[in-house]
Amino acid sequence: MKYIIILGDGMADEPQESLEGKTPLEAASTPAMDFLALRSEIGLLKTIPDGMTPGSDTANLAVMGYDPEKYYTGRSPLEALSIGVPLREEDVAFRCNFVTLSDEEPYEEKRILDHSSGEIPTEDAAVLLEAVKKELETEEFQFYLGTSYRHCLIWHGGQVLPLAAPHDHLGEKIGPYLPADSRFYDLQKRSYEILSSHLINQKRKEQGLNQANSCWFWGAGTKPGLSSFESLYGKKGVMISAVDLLKGIAVGAGMRVKEVEGANGGLHTNYEGKARAAVEAVLNEGADFAYIHLEAPDEMSHQGSLERKLKAIENLDARIVKPVYEAMEASGEPYRLLILPDHPTPLRIRTHSSDPVPYLLYDSRKNLDSKRLYGERAARESGIFREKGYQMMRYFLEAE
């Protein structure tokens, strides 16, 4: 028996007036998911426990079968695991975003224009991070390169600080959200002085691209201690994602991470490569379970682009769901397929919410007749509500 999860990050949303009251997921052209939905269990899943901040960290932990209230120690430590940072027990990890700030002076009056610096290529980000390291790195504070705009700062012997996530405050003045700790305030402000004049950012400005002109620190946490996925569920799993957070969860869970060339966490990622990697893992490489994570719907929501969010969902359907389904059917292997978001990322607020998410669970051995297409409204109307998201994995893997 094989098991595949296809997760569209931030795919769930609210009804849109421009879509005649439909959500992007309901309005997008998704023939593959429509076909499966009519033969699947449709329901709602609560991935964010009450009182916890909605994010891809807590939500994906839940979908992966780990109770966030038990296992969550912060976002950045999970990312640090992915990029090979040697975390010690006394270390605190922080996400270091390259963000785009506006030109107002002083620094406190600037606004966050883009939390991702136009999804800057990793190659350019590496050069910028070296410039930051040259001026700001010490034995106490050390920087590590991640992917695109997502990097890591380790504070040796530090403490967890409450810091604002940049994607939660797009368009707002940064003053109220700057670090209260004077050391981090200084690091962030000095990073602007270094980056805003860098040749790469001058060229990006000339090209009409968003500049990566400041570091922004958030997501603090300490070294996580996840139990092995195989010991919990008796399955060998692989992770397929362009995002360090998901790779870090997999590393912490003892799962194999499959790298896919051209997978970049954006709208123009290698969809087909991700689908192919999952199928190869479960059919030819001894894996029982594959987790395909697609970041694009979430990024398009943060950008506030309905058009691009629709495109991301349609790409997921045509270029991941369809080829995975066709390959698994052709193989003759029995399998279960779970499709869902981790959390909603409503275009209205351009950040995450804690609302339950719709899921589609297809089992090749069963011939269900749901009479429902896949979407938020259909999931609500199904009457199926799974309140503890982390328990879904046990149900999906038939381990209960």
Side-chain angles (χ1 to χ4, degrees):
M1 190 68 188
K2 304 299 181 180
Y3 305 88
I4 299 175
I5 289 180
I6 299 175
L7 189 134
D9 202 301
M11 187 163 62
D13 210 308
E14 301 168 342
Q16 308 289 310
E17 186 176 341
S18 62
L19 299 177
E20 299 180 346
K22 294 182 178 180
T23 69
L25 182 57
E26 292 166 344
S29 174
T30 54
M33 287 191 283
D34 289 347
F35 173 84
L36 289 171
L38 294 173
R39 297 156 176 82
S40 299
E41 176 184 310
I42 306 292
L44 278 179
L45 183 70
K46 183 177 175 65
T47 58
I48 308 294
D50 291 338
M52 297 195 77
T53 301
S56 294
D57 42 17
T58 48
N60 276 280
L61 274 174
V63 177
M64 285 285 292
Y66 294 90
D67 182 355
E69 294 182 296
K70 177 180 178 181
Y71 288 101
Y72 182 66
T73 63
R75 179 189 185 107
S76 189
L78 294 167
E79 297 173 330
L81 286 177
S82 168
I83 60 180
V85 176
L87 272 181
R88 301 181 303 215
E89 297 297 333
E90 67 272 19
D91 291 341
V92 179
F94 296 80
R95 163 70 83 83
C96 172
N97 271 45
F98 279 154
V99 301
T100 306
L101 300 183
S102 61
D103 296 331
E104 289 90 350
E105 295 292 349
Y107 186 71
E108 297 77 14
E109 292 295 308
K110 298 182 185 301
R111 292 169 290 114
I112 303 175
L113 302 180
D114 184 353
H115 73 289
S116 70
S117 299
E119 300 179 28
I120 185 170
T122 302
E123 294 78 10
D124 288 349
V127 177
L128 294 175
L129 192 66
E130 280 302 314
V132 170
K133 291 174 68 171
K134 182 178 179 181
E135 298 293 330
L136 301 183
E137 188 165 88
T138 65
E139 289 188 7
E140 186 179 15
F141 295 104
Q142 296 189 325
F143 293 84
Y144 294 85
L145 181 70
T147 304
S148 183
Y149 63 91
R150 314 171 188 92
H151 309 289
C152 184
L153 172 68
I154 300 298
W155 182 10
H156 296 299
Q159 56 185 301
V160 174
L161 301 175
L163 299 169
H167 54 260
D168 286 345
H169 303 289
L170 294 169
E172 300 181 47
K173 288 185 179 181
I174 66 174
Y177 309 110
L178 290 172
D181 184 280
S182 60
R183 289 161 293 189
F184 274 75
Y185 181 96
D186 185 55
L187 283 172
Q188 202 161 299
K189 186 174 181 180
R190 288 174 63 195
S191 75
Y192 178 81
E193 297 166 2
I194 297 164
L195 293 171
S196 60
S197 60
H198 197 282
L199 180 60
I200 283 179
N201 277 319
Q202 292 177 10
K203 289 182 177 179
R204 289 182 68 82
K205 186 174 183 180
E206 291 170 1
Q207 295 168 351
L209 302 173
N210 286 346
Q211 301 173 71
N213 58 14
S214 184
C215 294
W216 190 281
F217 305 112
W218 64 287
T222 54
K223 185 177 180 179
L226 298 181
S227 300
S228 154
F229 184 84
E230 188 171 357
S231 69
L232 285 176
Y233 298 108
K235 308 293 182 186
K236 294 182 182 297
V238 298
M239 171 64 69
I240 299 154
S241 175
V243 177
D244 287 331
L245 170 64
L246 274 295
K247 295 177 184 178
I249 294 175
V251 170
M255 291 174 59
R256 184 161 63 95
V257 175
K258 285 200 72 173
E259 300 290 350
V260 175
E261 185 177 354
N264 56 22
L267 182 60
H268 304 294
T269 193
N270 184 358
Y271 298 90
E272 290 83 1
K274 288 187 171 187
R276 191 162 49 248
V279 170
E280 289 174 353
V282 297
L283 294 183
N284 304 321
E285 297 171 1
D288 307 298
F289 165 71
Y291 195 101
I292 309 173
H293 171 264
L294 183 71
E295 178 75 357
D298 188 61
E299 289 295 334
M300 301 310 104
S301 297
H302 288 312
Q303 293 177 15
S305 173
L306 171 59
E307 179 183 0
R308 289 196 290 271
K309 182 164 189 174
L310 288 168
K311 185 62 175 176
I313 295 169
E314 291 172 354
N315 283 346
L316 179 144
D317 184 79
R319 300 168 67 181
I320 294 182
V321 175
K322 185 174 186 286
V324 165
Y325 168 76
E326 290 178 344
M328 294 306 297
E329 286 293 310
S331 75
E333 290 272 5
Y335 68 99
R336 280 160 74 89
L337 177 62
L338 178 63
I339 302 172
L340 76 169
D342 49 352
H343 53 68
T345 308
L347 288 157
R348 176 180 58 83
I349 57 175
R350 295 176 63 185
T351 191
H352 309 148
S353 75
S354 300
D355 294 333
V357 297
Y359 72 83
L360 177 162
L361 174 53
Y362 175 75
D363 189 321
S364 67
R365 301 165 301 178
K366 300 177 181 178
N367 187 24
L368 299 181
D369 183 13
S370 76
K371 297 183 171 59
R372 300 180 190 277
L373 298 182
Y374 178 49
E376 293 86 347
R377 182 178 295 121
R380 287 194 304 271
E381 292 174 352
S382 74
I384 300 174
F385 175 55
R386 300 185 179 276
E387 189 171 4
K388 294 189 181 297
Y390 70 92
Q391 294 179 350
M392 182 67 173
M393 181 61 78
R394 189 162 292 279
Y395 173 67
F396 174 58
L397 298 178
E398 304 171 289
E400 57 180 18

